[in-house]
């Protein structure tokens, strides 16, 4: 009660703090998360999750998961996916800090990360507060923003959303587009061969 969207509390071994759903989103919070966080830190977690909701990150994840991905089994494809997820978290942090203090969100991130069972991960197919990959970079950005030493890096300034990978991404996107345009022609050719052989 009192949250800006429907919320559920769960007795879960992982410190789940996530937005579930696309059309009827719901905030999911593990009891352990609520037990260790101060009220202002809970507000920071909610602000972060609302930023994911505003950005429609669950819909993006759904489309990403549903799209045919020939790169999924290659290191390049795994890096692209990880970069997308880390960039989404960084953007959600930046947007959340329009509502809460950056240092409060950094404290919440560290407290939630400390609750993770050792050696285990939980790959959620939804926008969540905690991902192991970019935790250190996110906390550094939050502390830097709090101290006024550095603003949040924009997607073109480096980090997870860096433009360094854009030539590769454009090449891959062009290849996938060409493949998509060729597939109908290949299908028609195969159909013609089957008719000839029948």
């Amino acid at each position: 009660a009192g949250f800006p969207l429907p919320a559920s509390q769960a007795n879960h071994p992982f410190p789940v703090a996530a937005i579930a759903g696309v059309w009827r989103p719901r905030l999911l919070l593990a009891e352990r998360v609520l037990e260790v966080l101060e009220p202002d830190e809970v507000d920071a977690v909610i602000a972060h999750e609302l930023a994911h909701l505003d950005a429609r990150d669950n819909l993006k994840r759904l489309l990403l998961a549903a799209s045919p991905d020939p790169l999924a089994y290659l290191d390049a494809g795994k890096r692209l996916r990880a970069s997308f997820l880390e960039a989404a978290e960084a953007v959600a942090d930046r947007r959340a800090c329009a509502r809460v203090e950056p240092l409060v969100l950094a404290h919440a991130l560290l407290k939630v990360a400390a609750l993770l069972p050792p050696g285990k991960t939980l790959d959620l197919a939804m926008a969540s507060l905690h991902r192991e990959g970019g935790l250190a970079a996110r906390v550094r950005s939050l502390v830097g923003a709090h101290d006024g030493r550095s603003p949040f890096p924009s997607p073109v300034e480096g980090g997870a959303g860096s433009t360094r990978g854009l030539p590769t991404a454009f090449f891959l996107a062009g290849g996938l587009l060409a493949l998509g345009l060729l597939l109908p022609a290949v299908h028609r050719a195969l159909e013609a061969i089957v008719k000839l052989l029948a």
Side-chain angles (χ1 to χ4, degrees), residues 6-63:
S8 294
Q9 179 177 325
N11 182 8
H12 199 281
F14 278 83
V16 177
I19 290 285
V22 175
W23 288 276
R24 291 182 182 159
R26 174 173 288 276
L27 180 64
L28 300 179
L29 294 168
E31 289 176 358
R32 300 176 68 206
V33 170
L34 294 172
E35 288 168 2
V36 301
L37 296 183
E38 300 295 330
D40 59 342
E41 293 167 343
V42 173
D43 290 341
V45 169
I46 293 169
H48 176 91
E49 296 308 323
L50 288 175
H52 279 304
L53 184 61
D54 292 342
R56 300 174 192 248
D57 282 337
N58 279 358
L59 178 59
K60 293 173 188 174
R61 288 168 189 253
L62 178 65
L63 293 173

Side-chain angles (χ1 to χ4, degrees), residues 63-86:
L63 293 173
L64 187 63
S67 300
D69 185 7
L71 296 175
Y73 303 103
L74 302 176
D75 286 342
K78 291 174 184 173
R79 283 194 303 272
L80 283 171
R81 179 179 170 81
S83 293
F84 166 78
L85 295 174
E86 288 175 17

Side-chain angles (χ1 to χ4, degrees), residues 163-177:
T163 57
R164 287 175 293 178
L166 281 180
T168 302
F170 281 124
F171 173 76
L172 293 172
L176 292 175
L177 179 61

